[in-house]
Amino acid sequence: MAEPQGRVRVDAWTWAVRLFPTRSAAGAACRAGHVRVNGDRAKPATQVVPGDEVQVRGGARERLVVVQRLLVKRVSAEVAQASYLDRSPVPPPRTQVAVAAQRDRGAGRPTKRDRRAIERLRGH
């Protein structure tokens, strides 16, 4: 696979290394200010070179990656992961979700009395 020489657009690179599902999503994230290159907000046409630090904020997680290799075409996951050094912070542990009160099947909607009892239980 031929690697491009010099520089690559940040929207194309983040899509190629699978940080975004589509190139248009990568461009939209850049325009919205969710992508930073070396600490500065990046437009979709911002150029990246090996050694640049790319910070991507999206979804439930923030990614911080250092460009190792330039790519313009989408590649396999293994090649994509070898193209950057991941310095992302460890995601916080998942908290257990409180189990919602279960009603018997076919019991219908809670009555006003049931609703007040539920609110007392929840502390409202």
Side-chain angles (χ1 to χ4, degrees):
M1 173 174 50
E3 289 185 31
Q5 299 295 321
R7 300 169 175 266
V8 174
R9 290 172 57 113
V10 71
D11 63 339
W13 186 81
T14 54
W15 166 75
V17 297
R18 297 173 176 264
L19 295 178
F20 289 102
T22 64
R23 175 123 181 230
S24 60
C30 291
R31 284 188 293 279
H34 300 302
V35 178
R36 293 182 175 268
V37 175
N38 297 327
D40 298 325
R41 284 180 66 169
K43 293 181 179 180
T46 301
Q47 303 288 311
V48 293
V49 295
D52 280 351
E53 192 173 77
V54 179
Q55 183 179 7
V56 177
R57 191 180 65 211
R61 187 166 172 203
E62 186 169 315
R63 304 284 306 267
L64 182 64
V65 297
V66 177
V67 179
Q68 296 290 315
R69 204 167 118 191
L70 298 178
L71 298 171
V72 287
K73 300 242 185 210
R74 197 157 170 105
V75 293
S76 68
E78 295 81 26
V79 175
Q81 285 182 336
S83 299
Y84 61 84
L85 178 62
D86 196 353
R87 291 191 180 160
S88 302
V90 178
R94 289 185 174 182
T95 57
Q96 265 191 330
V97 178
V99 178
Q102 296 290 323
R103 292 185 50 81
D104 293 332
R105 189 171 175 92
R109 293 178 54 171
T111 62
K112 191 178 224 179
R113 183 179 186 183
D114 293 338
R115 182 183 51 79
R116 287 182 176 155
I118 291 169
E119 286 178 357
R120 266 196 313 274
L121 209 80
R122 289 184 178 167
H124 291 281

